[in-house]
Amino acid sequence: MASFGWKRKIGEKVSKATWQQFEAEAADDAGAGEDADDNWVHAAKRRKELLLEDCVRKSKQLKEEGANLAENSRYREAIRKWDEALQLTPEDSTLYEMKSQVLMSLHEMFPAVHAAEMAIQRNPRSWDAWQTLGRAQLGVGEIELAIRSFQVSLHTFPMNPEVWKEDLSWARKLHKYKEKAAKAKAVQALAKEAAQESIPDYDFESDEIVEVCAAIAQKEKEAKSVVIVSASGAVETVTEKENSAATPDETIFIRAR
């Protein structure tokens, strides 16, 4: 039976000098690898920075081109320029705000509201985006929401006289007109309802009504009552038959009805 013993470790016979040489070479290789990694990361960051700078520069150029087109009333072309710019800088709130203004000029109010909301999502502190949103909301009849948007714009930039004197003032006037119109409409509805309730809805063609009318007509046809006052002042009620040939002597009466 073979005796049990520890397994010999690998490299046990390798000399100390050889081991130290291997260790030094490994350290050099590791240092070179770390330098290569650092260089690669730095180069990648630099390329990303250059790409972002190029996107910002190109977006700014497209924004200016779109603004020039909008000033010349070439609104559709301006929107296309700004859409291209948004592909490069999707977080630029001013592009959405400018686009909302142009959409309002094209009377596309609901897309204008959406564009203004996108601008505010990217920059809630933009007073001009809140102002544009309020104007777009007025265009779709949301007067209460427009008033709130103008108030937020003023809260963000209290020194803006345009929002205070024009936008907010006009929105409040519209709100008063809307309330008066709603009250007048409610009063008319109540009056119409009261008038309908005061007049019973009779069915004049029902069998019961027809029978009653026929009975009254038959009774009037069969006999007629006449009140006669004689010359002596006596009052007499005479029932005149329809087929009766005899009539009272008119010479004895002074008044009849």
Side-chain angles (χ1 to χ4, degrees):
M1 182 176 179
S3 59
F4 178 80
W6 293 103
K7 292 182 180 179
R8 188 180 300 274
K9 295 180 180 180
I10 298 175
E12 185 177 355
K13 293 184 179 180
V14 177
S15 64
K16 184 177 181 180
T18 304
W19 174 77
Q20 290 176 348
Q21 182 179 358
F22 288 158
E23 189 177 36
E25 291 177 354
D28 293 339
D29 293 340
E34 291 177 358
D35 293 339
D37 291 340
D38 291 341
N39 291 334
W40 181 85
V41 172
H42 180 73
K45 289 182 178 179
R46 182 56 183 165
R47 285 196 297 271
K48 184 177 181 180
E49 291 174 356
L50 292 174
L51 181 60
L52 290 175
E53 291 175 359
D54 184 62
C55 288
V56 171
R57 182 171 58 254
K58 182 63 174 177
S59 177
K60 184 178 179 181
Q61 179 182 351
L62 291 169
K63 183 193 295 186
E64 293 176 354
E65 292 176 0
N68 292 330
L69 291 169
E71 289 178 357
N72 294 320
S73 301
R74 298 166 64 180
Y75 299 128
R76 295 295 181 186
E77 297 177 55
I79 291 175
R80 285 195 290 269
K81 291 290 183 180
W82 292 332
D83 285 339
E84 292 180 20
L86 285 171
Q87 296 295 324
L88 301 172
T89 55
E91 298 302 317
D92 190 346
S93 65
T94 59
L95 288 169
Y96 284 105
E97 192 272 331
M98 295 166 69
K99 183 178 178 180
S100 178
Q101 292 188 50
V102 169
L103 288 169
M104 280 190 284
S105 298
L106 294 171
H107 303 287
E108 298 181 9
M109 295 303 176
F110 287 101
V113 171
H114 177 70
E117 289 174 344
M118 295 292 287
I120 291 172
Q121 288 179 9
R122 282 149 179 77
N123 185 10
R125 302 292 299 174
S126 175
W127 64 267
D128 49 351
W130 281 105
Q131 180 187 24
T132 301
L133 176 60
R135 291 177 175 179
Q137 288 168 336
L138 281 181
V140 297
E142 295 291 346
I143 300 176
E144 291 81 1
L145 293 178
I147 291 175
R148 179 184 177 277
S149 297
F150 293 141
Q151 290 174 341
V152 174
S153 179
L154 275 175
H155 180 75
T156 306
F157 183 38
M159 302 304 294
N160 187 358
E162 183 181 16
V163 177
W164 176 261
K165 294 181 179 179
E166 298 181 13
D167 296 311
L168 187 57
S169 177
W170 174 242
R172 285 175 173 172
K173 288 180 181 179
L174 290 177
H175 187 259
K176 290 181 180 179
Y177 295 151
K178 182 179 179 180
E179 287 183 340
K180 290 181 179 179
K183 290 180 181 179
K185 186 176 181 180
V187 170
Q188 291 177 357
L190 289 174
K192 183 177 180 181
E193 183 179 354
Q196 291 177 350
E197 291 178 355
S198 62
I199 302 176
D201 187 12
Y202 292 113
D203 185 6
F204 291 99
E205 296 182 358
S206 64
D207 295 338
E208 292 82 359
I209 298 297
V210 172
E211 290 178 0
V212 171
C213 293
I216 293 173
Q218 182 65 26
K219 186 176 180 181
E220 291 181 349
K221 183 178 180 181
E222 291 176 354
K224 293 182 181 179
S225 297
V226 180
V227 178
I228 301 174
V229 180
S230 64
S232 62
V235 179
E236 182 180 2
T237 302
V238 179
T239 301
E240 181 182 1
K241 300 296 183 180
E242 181 180 6
N243 297 325
S244 176
T247 58
D249 189 356
E250 296 180 356
T251 60
I252 63 174
F253 302 118
I254 60 173
R255 183 169 65 248
R257 60 179 178 179

